Amino acid sequence: MTQLINIPLVSWTNGTIMIAIFGLVCIGLVTALLILVNSGKKKDN
């Protein structure tokens, strides 16, 4: 049982890298959406 306790269940480096990439993708999608919305409004006016 002590061997099972010593096995790390979470890889913090991999998790932080994945969260950072996910955050960058979310920020990129939000900025692209805002650019599209603003350009659409400018064309209508």
Side-chain angles (χ1 to χ4, degrees):
M1 291 297 292
T2 56
Q3 291 178 353
L4 293 176
I5 293 172
N6 289 332
I7 296 173
L9 297 177
V10 176
S11 176
W12 289 104
T13 54
N14 190 18
T16 52
I17 291 171
M18 293 293 285
I19 289 172
I21 292 173
F22 181 71
L24 290 174
V25 169
C26 287
I27 291 171
L29 289 175
V30 168
T31 52
L33 183 65
L34 289 175
I35 290 170
L36 287 174
V37 168
N38 288 332
S39 65
K41 287 183 178 178
K42 290 178 180 176
K43 288 180 181 177
D44 290 335
N45 292 332

